[in-house]
Amino acid sequence: ARVAAVVPAAGKGSRMGAKKAKQFMELAGKPLLSHTVSVLKRVAEIAEIIVVVPPGGEESAIKDCLLPFDLQSKCHVVPGGAERQDSVKNGLLKARELGADYVLIHDGARPLATPELFRKVYQKTLLHGAAIAAVPCFDTVKKAGENNLVETTLDRSRLWLVQTPQGFELDFLLEIIQKACDQGYYATDEAGLLEWAGKEVKLVPGERDNFKITTPEDLRLAQCIKGGLLLTRIG
Ligand code: CTP
Ligand code: MG
C-alpha cells in the first residue's frame, strides 16, 4: 500500500500569543515544523509528506523549514484553509493526486512523536481502517456547571487524551470530509468525522512526550526535552 503523511501546519497559533505562528518558531536550533518533518522522514513506510501551510507561505516554508535541513525530498507543500479541517482536506486531495491509499495525519505542532508511533498507528490502520494515537487520562476529570461549580466526575478509566498521528484509508476519509465540509460539520480531529459517520476508530497507546505545542509553557517544556536528548547523545 502507498502511504502519505499529511501535516496540517496552516494555523495562526493564537494561544501561543507570539508574532510568528508557532510551527515556524525555533525549537533547539531549528523551526518546530522542521523537527516534525524530520521525524516523518525516518518512517520508511511513508512515501510522501504533504505539509499544509498558511496560503501564500509555501515558498518561505520550503526556504526556511525544509531546504536548510535537507528535508525537501518526498515533501510537497500546499496551502491550507480557514479551519484545521479545511487544511487537512487540501492535504488529502494532494495525497490522492499522488496516488496514496492510506494517510497518516500528524499535527505540525507535535514535534516530539517517535517514528515507532507512526509505525504502530499505521499497522493498526491496516487492521481496522482507522486508528489514532491517544494516552490514558491520569488526572481526575470533572465537568463544570455554572460559575465553575463542579457538576460531576467523569469515569477516568474510559477517558483517553487524543493525539496525532491518526491513520485512515484515504478514499474513505476523503468521502467523509467532503460531506462534512459541504454540510458545515467541523470536528476537532479526523476521528471525530468518522464518529459522525458512525464508523469505528481504534485507539493506539500514544506517547506522553507527544504533546501539542500550544502555549509558551509547552515550547519551554519541548526545549527541555530536546536539550536532554542532546546531552544523552553527547554523554
Ligand atoms: N492548523 C491548520 N490549519 C488551520 C488551523 C490549524 O493546519 N486552519 C494546524 C496547526 O498549524 C497545528 C494543528 O493544526 O499544527 C493543530 O492546531 P492548533 O494546535 O489549534 O494550532 P493553531 O490553530 O495554529 O493554534 P491556536 O488554536 O492556538 O490558534
Ligand atoms: Mg487551533
Side-chain angles (χ1 to χ4, degrees):
R2 194 167 175 80
V3 189
V6 167
V7 182
K12 292 190 163 69
S14 50
R15 285 169 289 182
M16 185 63 75
K19 270 193 234 114
K20 217 185 230 187
K22 61 188 180 184
Q23 61 273 31
F24 304 118
M25 288 172 76
E26 193 217 293
L27 167 63
K30 53 183 176 182
L32 201 156
L33 182 59
S34 308
H35 289 273
T36 309
V37 172
S38 87
V39 174
L40 285 161
K41 296 211 61 162
R42 290 164 56 200
V43 185
E45 290 88 337
I46 295 175
E48 319 276 357
I49 300 168
I50 299 149
V51 185
V52 191
V53 301
E58 297 91 327
E59 296 283 311
S60 56
I62 294 170
K63 184 171 75 59
D64 299 338
C65 302
L66 302 180
L67 292 176
F69 311 99
D70 203 20
L71 293 169
Q72 65 280 10
S73 66
K74 291 191 192 177
C75 286
H76 309 263
V77 178
V78 302
E83 299 293 331
R84 184 179 180 286
Q85 187 170 312
D86 303 310
S87 297
V88 168
K89 190 180 81 177
N90 289 355
L92 295 176
L93 290 170
K94 183 70 182 180
R96 182 166 65 186
E97 195 182 303
L98 295 167
D101 310 303
Y102 287 90
V103 66
L104 290 168
I105 297 165
H106 185 61
D107 289 331
R110 291 185 194 267
L112 302 176
T114 65
E116 291 67 42
L117 183 59
F118 288 90
R119 293 188 194 108
K120 279 201 304 190
V121 170
Y122 175 52
Q123 291 308 321
K124 293 294 183 188
T125 302
L126 288 176
L127 282 176
H128 301 275
I132 64 176
V135 290
C137 184
F138 293 147
D139 293 324
T140 294
V141 181
K142 294 191 191 291
K143 183 169 177 245
E146 295 285 298
N147 302 319
N148 281 357
L149 287 170
V150 172
E151 194 175 280
T152 179
T153 301
L154 303 176
D155 176 7
R156 193 178 66 187
S157 68
R158 296 184 51 176
L159 294 178
W160 292 74
L161 303 173
V162 169
Q163 307 182 330
T164 66
Q166 302 201 346
F168 305 92
E169 281 176 45
L170 177 59
D171 286 343
F172 188 59
L173 180 62
L174 250 175
E175 195 183 304
I176 295 172
I177 206 168
Q178 293 276 20
K179 196 188 282 175
C181 287
D182 291 347
Q183 297 185 17
Y185 179 81
Y186 280 81
T188 54
D189 70 346
E190 287 61 56
L193 295 171
L194 268 76
E195 293 154 42
W196 177 70
K199 307 295 177 190
E200 283 187 347
V201 176
K202 183 74 174 173
L203 291 165
V204 179
E207 299 167 337
R208 297 245 286 165
D209 274 0
N210 179 27
F211 55 87
K212 182 158 63 69
I213 308 288
T214 305
T215 64
E217 191 183 24
D218 295 327
L219 196 57
R220 280 199 296 277
L221 194 55
Q223 293 277 11
C224 290
I225 291 170
K226 278 287 167 188
L229 283 176
L230 192 65
L231 286 175
T232 339
R233 258 190 237 127
I234 292 166

